[in-house]
């Protein structure tokens, strides 16, 4: 049941990918922030959704099953959010597994580059540093590698680790072959969901954003995001109107690392829950 009124954070990550909290914890935090809804949008996995849905029943919060799929276009990594997908669709799950395998290869290549830079790091160390067993269908991301770089003293915090080694163009950045945004949209549509372009302001290339929107595969655009300011809000609201897209938003909450919350605290960016019915209606 979607609440008729209220606010929702439509972009949060959990331990199923590179977030710090269990899925149920994200729901609890959303409840404490007074939200009516929260989406679980982990990278290339939906393994945290079931736990969050159960927690949603306990806390009386609407949980939106979601995912964030990594793609590539115009030489940049582009993320596509999927909402209300069928999280038990076997074809979709197998496609996400392909994505995680690509991510695994990317992580190993990053480790190789870091070792080439004289940093004694291994994937075993990264996994051990998580402090828990990696569950099936969970994914390991760059923030986990950043954590280990901080533990090794190669970086002062996660931002420093990304700036020096892991961000696009940095010393150990690796860009593996990825599917296109259009293909990710089709995967989401075929799994019964609605596809939304994530955080367009992060890409630093509005012409590329426009080209992606022109394909007509997307149903929405994430206008509101922790890394967007008023100028981005204005630009992407205009694009949403031009292309007839739904306007969404979310914090991109990952939890705190080294005492710093990236990108924003849960609920710090939110939108009206009225958009939830619109997302449902936009599904193919």
């Amino acid at each position: 049941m979607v609440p008729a009124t209220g606010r929702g954070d439509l972009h949060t990550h959990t331990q199923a990918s590179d977030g710090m909290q269990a899925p149920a914890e994200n729901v609890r935090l959303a409840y404490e922030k007074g939200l009516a809804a929260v989406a679980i949008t982990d990278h290339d996995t939906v393994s945290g959704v079931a736990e969050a849905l159960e927690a949603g029943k306990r806390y009386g919060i609407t949980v939106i099953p979601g995912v964030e799929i990594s793609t590539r276009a115009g030489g940049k990594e582009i993320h596509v959010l999927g909402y209300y997908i069928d999280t038990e669709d076997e074809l979709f799950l197998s496609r996400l597994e392909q994505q995680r395998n690509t991510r695994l290869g990317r992580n190993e290549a990053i480790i190789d580059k870091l070792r080439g830079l004289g940093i004694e790091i291994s994937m075993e160390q990264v996994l051990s540093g998580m402090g828990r067993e990696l569950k099936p269908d969970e994914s390991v991301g760059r923030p986990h590698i950043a954590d280990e770089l901080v533990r090794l003293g190669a970086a002062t915090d996660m931002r420093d680790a990304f700036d020096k080694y892991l961000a696009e163009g940095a010393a150990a950045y690796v860009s593996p072959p990825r599917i296109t945004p259009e293909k990710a949209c089709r995967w989401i549509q075929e799994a019964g969901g609605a596809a939304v372009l994530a955080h367009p302001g992060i890409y630093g290339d509005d012409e590329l954003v426009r080209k992606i929107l022109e394909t007509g595969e997307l149903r929405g655009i994430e206008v509101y995001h922790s890394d967007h300011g008023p100028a981005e809000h204005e630009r992407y609201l205009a694009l949403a109107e031009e292309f007839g897209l739904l306007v969404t938003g979310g914090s991109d909450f990952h939890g705190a690392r080294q005492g710093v919350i990236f990108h924003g605290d849960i609920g710090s960016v939110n939108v009206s829950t009225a958009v939830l019915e619109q997302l449902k209606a936009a599904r193919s």
Side-chain angles (χ1 to χ4, degrees):
M1 182 71 177
V2 175
T5 60
R7 308 295 293 180
D9 186 338
L10 304 191
H11 193 161
T12 78
H13 294 271
T14 77
Q15 288 177 341
S17 62
D18 55 355
M20 296 298 287
Q21 270 75 234
E25 185 71 359
N26 276 28
V27 178
R28 183 186 68 80
L29 291 170
Y31 169 78
E32 290 182 351
K33 296 287 185 179
L35 296 176
V38 64
I40 303 299
T41 52
D42 280 307
H43 295 286
D44 301 317
T45 183
V46 293
S47 67
V49 170
E51 178 185 320
L53 287 168
E54 283 301 311
K57 295 175 186 175
R58 294 198 303 274
Y59 288 102
I61 282 188
T62 295
V63 172
I64 302 101
V67 70
E68 186 171 15
I69 298 179
S70 299
T71 76
R72 195 148 188 90
K76 292 182 179 291
E77 186 171 316
I78 307 294
H79 290 178
V80 177
L81 293 157
Y83 295 104
Y84 291 109
I85 65 270
D86 177 359
T87 58
E88 296 181 358
D89 183 284
E90 290 189 8
L91 177 58
F92 187 62
L93 293 176
S94 70
R95 287 166 164 173
L96 293 183
E97 185 178 12
Q98 294 170 27
Q99 289 286 102
R100 292 194 299 276
N101 288 339
T102 298
R103 185 181 293 269
L104 181 61
R106 187 277 311 267
N107 291 344
E108 292 288 0
I110 289 173
I111 294 296
D112 287 345
K113 276 198 167 187
L114 289 169
R115 292 180 68 83
L117 293 168
I119 299 171
E120 290 300 317
I121 186 172
S122 68
M123 274 308 298
E124 289 74 20
Q125 287 170 261
V126 173
L127 294 172
S128 175
M130 292 173 65
R132 63 183 184 86
E133 195 76 21
L134 194 68
K135 297 177 183 177
D137 299 336
E138 292 185 343
S139 69
V140 175
R142 286 177 293 171
H144 295 114
I145 298 173
D147 283 344
E148 186 59 26
L149 289 170
V150 173
R151 281 190 287 270
L152 290 170
T156 55
D157 55 26
M158 188 169 80
R159 177 55 57 203
D160 186 46
F162 269 78
D163 289 345
K164 284 181 179 175
Y165 305 110
L166 303 176
E168 192 162 342
Y173 180 74
V174 174
S175 174
R178 298 274 194 191
I179 63 171
T180 64
E182 294 76 28
K183 180 174 278 192
C185 290
R186 288 195 292 273
W187 285 5
I188 290 164
Q189 291 161 11
E190 289 169 10
V196 171
L197 181 64
H199 43 57
I202 285 181
Y203 310 130
D205 188 342
D206 279 2
E207 280 306 307
L208 175 60
V209 168
R210 175 174 286 276
K211 287 178 183 176
I212 294 169
L213 299 183
E214 285 173 349
T215 67
E217 300 282 357
L218 288 151
R219 299 293 178 262
I221 182 169
E222 190 176 45
V223 171
Y224 302 104
H225 182 270
S226 295
D227 296 330
H228 288 181
E232 285 79 19
H233 297 163
E234 186 175 339
R235 293 204 310 275
Y236 301 129
L237 278 172
L239 281 178
E241 184 174 357
E242 179 181 347
F243 288 95
L245 297 170
L246 297 177
V247 172
T248 74
S251 63
D252 206 349
F253 175 71
H254 284 70
R257 281 181 159 88
Q258 296 89 49
V260 179
I261 293 176
F262 287 88
H263 295 265
D265 198 2
I266 201 161
S268 60
V269 178
N270 57 72
V271 292
S272 168
T273 53
V275 76
L276 301 186
E277 288 297 348
Q278 295 169 354
L279 284 167
K280 283 185 174 182
R283 294 179 296 176
S284 59

